[in-house]
Amino acid sequence: MSRARADEEEYWHSSKFRAFTFDDEDDELSQLKESKRAVNSLRDIVDDDDDDLERVSWSGEPVGSISWSIKETASGSTSSLEGRDSSLQKGSSSYAALPKQVSSYSLSSLFKGEDHHVSCRQMGFPSESLTDTGVKNYAPELRRPKAEYKDYTSDWSPKDTVRRMQRGKVCSLERFRSLQDKLVLLDEAVAGHDGNVITAVLIFLKRTLRREILFRELEVRQVALCHLIHFLKETGEQKFLLDLLRFLDRTEEVALSQYREHLNIQDVEKRREFLKGCIGLPFSAEDTSHIQDHYTLLERQIIIEANDRHLEMAGQSEIFRKYPRKASILNMPLVTTLFYSCFYHYTEAEGTFSSPTNLKKTFKIPDKQYVLTALAARAKLRAWNDVDALLTTKNWLGYTKKKAPIGFHRVVEILQRNNAPVQVLQEYVRLVEDVENRLNLATKYKCHDVVIETYRDLKDRIQLTAYKCKVERGSADEEKINSILNNTVRSAY
């Protein structure tokens, strides 16, 4: 009887269940520390000896990654367990104490959420050592916290939705399903005066409404309409934009949008044919004239480019040998084409397509623009005789005089920029009417004769004496100043 009582006492004392105590080692904090130690020991078993080296599977993905664990699970646990057992046998002496029986434990069980208590027992660890906290420490929760989903699922009103979007919060617009709700949302976005929010709502409406309904509602909402038109132009949705403009009966804008498509055509012949077709579009009278000039200019450029390429390759023209072309003339603006023509074809007759006078007459180029462009081209070639002829005119009596529609001060600046000689500069500095500007230009570009003559005409002895210090001693300019000063002294007596 006493033996039975002794066995019973041993049974109850040997049970894994213990009575409730107030000891610190039984509280939750100690259990948490114990679970962390167990997980850390589990990590040491699974990892290789060298923590700095990254293990890569045959698929090229790091071992232990999420995608690797999924593929490893799908490929079966048998091969992975055998490989793991072999790696454990090659490890340090601390691994030798582990059980050698085949275990069903794998890293994928942590990601799959399998019964890790069974696996831990087979690995030699108590099932109670792996708490939820320990597992999350090794394989963290990959899903978003549920608190973050409230921005997507909450039943926000249109006004609240717009306010949250203004603050940068992500809000789902998919719950606004009725047309009335969508229009209220758009009106609230417009009332908020935030262009990004308006554009976001318009993109949502564009995706969820039929075009006819969207166009009809936007017709009475001009602010939103302007935002959508600008958005379509920026994103290049040409077909949708044309449909919208046709619905609004904006024929000129439709024509301009179609004309803008020529920028996307790289082939010159195809662009020329496209521009020819654009002439008949419903443009205004002024725009129609511009389209016609664009087509004529491109047609002229094609002819000039073909002829000049042939002359350049044949080497028959001296100017092309001396100044090779740096770029093609195709698709260049009118002013660039005129400069090119004045540079390479200045002396050609008016009947040729490449003649500068032909271009001026065909495209009605103003005299000021023509003189400015031709002067820059001829000065770059240092053709000073052509510059003189360009600025010389005859009256009905046959008298000649210099005339510059752009002003002689600009002529001087262009000539100086192209390193014109002082003699050439002085000739045109003298023609500057304003005395102060004339003196400034003459002093700036060291046209001494002009400065001396101007001070002489002004009878400014003081300035003339001061300017004597700026010329070279013993030069002809100094002698000229002395002569003028001496003559003024004699005339005074």
Side-chain angles (χ1 to χ4, degrees):
M1 185 71 179
S2 60
R3 183 177 181 180
R5 178 177 293 274
D7 293 339
E8 183 178 358
E9 291 290 333
E10 182 181 359
Y11 170 79
W12 285 109
H13 286 295
S14 63
S15 175
K16 64 179 180 179
F17 298 101
R18 291 181 292 179
F20 175 79
T21 64
F22 289 93
D23 295 336
D24 293 338
E25 64 183 39
D26 292 332
D27 60 7
E28 294 181 357
L29 181 60
S30 61
Q31 293 179 7
L32 179 60
K33 293 180 179 179
E34 182 182 357
S35 63
K36 287 185 177 180
R37 287 193 297 270
V39 172
N40 290 333
S41 62
L42 175 61
R43 185 182 305 176
D44 294 335
I45 296 174
V46 177
D47 290 344
D48 289 338
D49 294 338
D50 191 359
D51 293 337
D52 295 333
L53 297 179
E54 186 181 34
R55 296 178 296 167
V56 180
S57 64
W58 286 108
S59 63
E61 298 174 350
V63 177
S65 63
I66 302 302
S67 58
W68 174 84
S69 64
I70 296 174
K71 294 181 180 179
E72 185 265 348
T73 304
S75 62
S77 60
T78 304
S79 59
S80 62
L81 291 174
E82 293 175 355
R84 185 174 293 107
D85 289 340
S86 62
S87 63
L88 290 175
Q89 292 175 2
K90 295 179 182 179
S92 60
S93 59
S94 61
Y95 297 156
L98 295 176
K100 301 298 182 180
Q101 66 270 19
V102 178
S103 173
S104 61
Y105 172 79
S106 67
L107 286 179
S108 60
S109 63
L110 291 176
F111 294 100
K112 292 173 59 179
E114 293 178 353
D115 188 5
H116 54 276
H117 298 281
V118 177
S119 302
C120 293
R121 284 196 300 270
Q122 293 178 356
M123 293 291 293
F125 293 96
S127 61
E128 293 81 8
S129 63
L130 277 182
T131 62
D132 292 340
T133 306
V135 174
K136 288 184 179 181
N137 185 27
Y138 189 76
E141 179 68 36
L142 299 180
R143 296 179 57 190
R144 291 175 177 265
K146 293 183 179 180
E148 296 187 9
Y149 286 92
K150 64 181 180 180
D151 289 343
Y152 301 94
T153 59
S154 298
D155 190 15
W156 302 106
S157 66
K159 188 174 184 178
D160 293 335
T161 301
V162 170
R163 288 180 178 177
R164 294 181 64 81
M165 293 175 67
Q166 289 175 338
R167 295 196 300 267
K169 298 291 185 179
V170 179
C171 301
S172 175
L173 304 181
E174 299 297 333
R175 69 177 193 81
F176 297 101
R177 298 183 179 180
S178 67
L179 176 61
Q180 185 63 29
D181 290 342
K182 294 177 181 179
L183 296 179
V184 172
L185 179 65
L186 178 60
D187 293 337
E188 291 292 341
V190 172
H193 304 290
D194 191 323
N196 293 331
V197 176
I198 296 174
T199 303
V201 174
L202 286 172
I203 294 174
F204 169 67
L205 298 184
K206 174 177 171 289
R207 182 169 52 86
T208 58
L209 291 178
R210 292 205 308 269
R211 292 189 179 184
E212 296 79 7
I213 299 176
L214 178 62
F215 296 165
R216 185 183 69 240
E217 298 298 336
L218 290 179
E219 190 174 9
V220 296
R221 295 171 172 83
Q222 291 298 315
V223 175
L225 178 62
C226 292
H227 275 269
L228 181 60
I229 292 176
H230 180 75
F231 172 76
L232 295 175
K233 289 180 180 179
E234 289 293 325
T235 56
E237 299 184 50
Q238 190 68 16
K239 188 176 184 304
F240 196 97
L241 177 61
L242 291 177
D243 292 343
L244 175 58
L245 295 177
R246 289 192 185 98
F247 178 86
L248 300 173
D249 199 23
R250 299 185 182 181
T251 56
E252 292 187 13
E253 293 188 35
V254 172
L256 289 174
S257 298
Q258 289 181 323
Y259 166 70
R260 197 178 292 113
E261 283 296 307
H262 81 274
L263 299 173
N264 301 324
I265 303 175
Q266 301 299 327
D267 186 79
V268 180
E269 291 295 336
K270 292 182 179 179
R271 180 179 288 194
R272 183 177 67 86
E273 292 300 323
F274 180 82
L275 292 175
K276 185 177 181 180
C278 290
I279 297 175
L281 294 177
F283 291 103
S284 63
E286 184 179 1
D287 291 339
T288 301
S289 177
H290 291 322
I291 302 300
Q292 179 66 54
D293 288 343
H294 190 177
Y295 168 74
T296 305
L297 177 63
L298 182 58
E299 192 175 36
R300 186 75 58 89
Q301 288 173 346
I302 293 174
I303 298 173
I304 296 173
E305 177 67 21
N307 293 334
D308 290 356
R309 188 188 300 116
H310 175 72
L311 291 174
E312 188 176 22
M313 294 178 63
Q316 300 175 357
S317 178
E318 181 181 357
I319 191 170
F320 285 112
R321 291 197 305 268
K322 191 174 181 180
Y323 301 99
R325 298 189 310 158
K326 297 181 179 180
S328 171
I329 194 62
L330 296 175
N331 299 318
M332 292 295 178
L334 176 59
V335 175
T336 307
T337 306
L338 178 61
F339 181 90
Y340 177 92
S341 180
C342 291
F343 193 91
Y344 289 106
H345 305 282
Y346 188 72
T347 59
E348 290 186 5
E350 184 179 343
T352 60
F353 285 145
S354 55
S355 170
T357 53
N358 190 308
L359 289 173
K360 177 185 177 184
K361 183 178 180 180
T362 302
F363 297 101
K364 300 179 176 60
I365 300 175
D367 290 340
K368 181 180 290 187
Q369 182 66 62
Y370 178 81
V371 171
L372 181 63
T373 307
L375 177 64
R378 303 318 294 173
K380 193 173 185 65
L381 289 172
R382 303 179 66 82
W384 311 124
N385 293 332
D386 293 338
V387 171
D388 185 73
L390 180 66
L391 300 175
T392 302
T393 59
K394 283 186 179 182
N395 59 12
W396 60 281
L397 294 176
Y399 295 102
T400 61
K401 62 176 297 186
K402 293 288 192 299
K403 182 181 179 181
I406 60 176
F408 283 105
H409 64 286
R410 295 196 65 185
V411 173
V412 173
E413 292 175 356
I414 294 174
L415 295 180
Q416 194 277 333
R417 198 181 303 130
N418 290 278
N419 302 318
V422 177
Q423 293 78 8
V424 176
L425 282 177
Q426 288 185 152
E427 181 180 357
Y428 294 100
V429 171
R430 287 190 180 96
L431 298 175
V432 177
E433 295 183 1
D434 186 76
V435 177
E436 186 176 354
N437 288 340
R438 188 195 315 158
L439 285 172
N440 290 335
L441 290 173
T443 305
K444 181 179 180 180
Y445 301 131
K446 298 182 180 181
C447 300
H448 300 307
D449 287 344
V450 178
V451 177
I452 296 170
E453 292 171 2
T454 303
Y455 285 141
R456 181 197 61 190
D457 296 338
L458 294 174
K459 298 180 181 180
D460 194 337
R461 183 181 179 85
I462 298 175
Q463 292 294 337
L464 191 60
T465 304
Y467 193 75
K468 180 180 176 180
C469 301
K470 298 181 180 180
V471 299
E472 186 178 354
R473 186 179 296 275
S475 63
D477 295 324
E478 186 182 26
E479 294 179 0
K480 188 174 182 178
I481 294 174
N482 291 332
S483 176
I484 294 173
L485 291 175
N486 291 335
N487 290 334
T488 56
V489 172
R490 291 173 184 176
S491 61
Y493 290 99

